[in-house]
Amino acid sequence: MAAQLDYHTMREIFTRFREAEPEPKGELHHVNAFTLVVAVALSAQATDAGVNKATAELFKIADTPEKMLALGEEGLIAHIKTIGLYRNKAKNVMKLSRILAEEYGGEVPNSRAALQSLPGVGRKTANVVLNMWWRYPAQAVDTHIFRVGNRTGICPGKDVNAVERAIEDNVPVDFQLHAHHWLILHGRYHCKARKPMCATCLIRDLCQFEEKTL
């Protein structure tokens, strides 16, 4: 685990990220807060591309909790059976749809605790929804961010909660809204797990990764 980078280095890193991608976007397709919750819940142990393919037709006919309930569990499964763990995910989507319909008037709540109370919605999913839909600077730490944070020294931590706190505590506030998207994209396309592309990395000179590739 690399040591936490200092403030000035952090500012320079995120300034470069922002110059390269001023408005980074999440890659899960959605049309409203409900479809975002469903897409993120489906994305656990699956790729965003795979989820987008499965939900392309689904969200045309079931973009509210009520419509999802009308579709039914087997109808949902017909759309998402290409996604890993689809049966368990389908059960959770139906359960959370019923809760949203019956307890929240069909609306998605915008508190982390309320979101996490929904079946299949953990802290990471809640943070993605808070960030992408309500533009709250919540930090959704996935495997990419965990890897990048610990390799580079941007947000080191022994677990995802520690990495989340490191982002909140050390990333300058004017970069907080997009911080997790910049880090995810950097990990997904540059600082890859097996073959990091250090030679073309934006922050090569500032990174603490000792095993930089040529």
Side-chain angles (χ1 to χ4, degrees):
M1 184 191 300
Q4 175 67 56
L5 295 172
D6 63 64
Y7 173 79
H8 297 291
T9 304
M10 295 283 281
R11 279 213 70 88
E12 177 61 24
I13 284 173
F14 282 93
T15 296
R16 293 182 191 182
F17 284 157
R18 183 165 62 188
E19 288 173 349
E21 186 68 62
E23 286 286 328
K25 299 288 192 297
E27 296 183 322
L28 284 172
H29 297 166
H30 59 283
V31 297
N32 55 28
F34 172 69
T35 53
L36 179 57
V37 171
V38 172
V40 181
L42 294 175
S43 72
Q45 299 180 48
T47 65
D48 288 0
V51 172
N52 290 340
K53 186 176 180 180
T55 59
E57 294 302 316
L58 172 65
F59 290 161
K60 291 179 183 178
I61 59 173
D63 60 355
T64 68
E66 293 80 6
K67 290 178 183 177
M68 189 67 75
L69 291 169
L71 178 63
E73 189 172 321
E74 291 306 315
L76 172 58
I77 286 174
H79 287 276
I80 68 169
K81 59 187 177 184
T82 55
I83 300 174
L85 307 175
Y86 68 90
R87 288 197 178 278
N88 189 55
K89 290 177 180 178
K91 291 182 186 301
N92 283 334
V93 169
M94 300 312 294
K95 288 178 183 176
L96 72 82
S97 296
R98 188 164 300 284
I99 291 171
L100 291 175
E102 294 178 353
E103 299 182 21
Y104 293 95
E107 300 294 323
V108 175
N110 62 352
S111 85
R112 186 183 284 117
L115 286 166
Q116 284 188 245
S117 72
L118 300 173
V121 177
R123 186 178 181 88
K124 187 184 86 169
T125 297
N127 282 348
V128 171
V129 175
L130 291 172
N131 182 278
M132 289 180 63
W133 192 255
W134 282 287
R135 295 183 67 81
Y136 176 78
Q139 309 301 333
V141 179
D142 67 354
T143 55
H144 295 301
I145 295 181
F146 187 80
R147 178 177 68 256
V148 170
N150 279 293
R151 266 184 184 170
T152 62
I154 293 173
C155 46
K158 67 182 186 302
D159 55 40
V160 294
N161 291 329
V163 170
E164 182 181 330
R165 286 195 300 274
I167 298 173
E168 293 174 345
D169 291 347
N170 297 293
V171 174
V173 70
D174 46 318
F175 298 110
Q176 289 268 340
L177 179 61
H178 295 311
H180 92 276
H181 279 136
W182 283 316
L183 292 169
I184 287 172
L185 294 173
H186 190 63
R188 184 173 289 166
Y189 298 112
H190 300 283
C191 194
K192 299 177 181 180
R194 295 185 179 179
K195 293 184 178 180
M197 300 164 65
C198 300
T200 57
C201 177
L202 275 176
I203 61 168
R204 177 183 170 86
D205 57 317
L206 303 173
C207 168
Q208 292 194 28
F209 186 41
E210 294 180 357
E211 301 169 29
K212 290 176 185 173
T213 57
L214 296 176

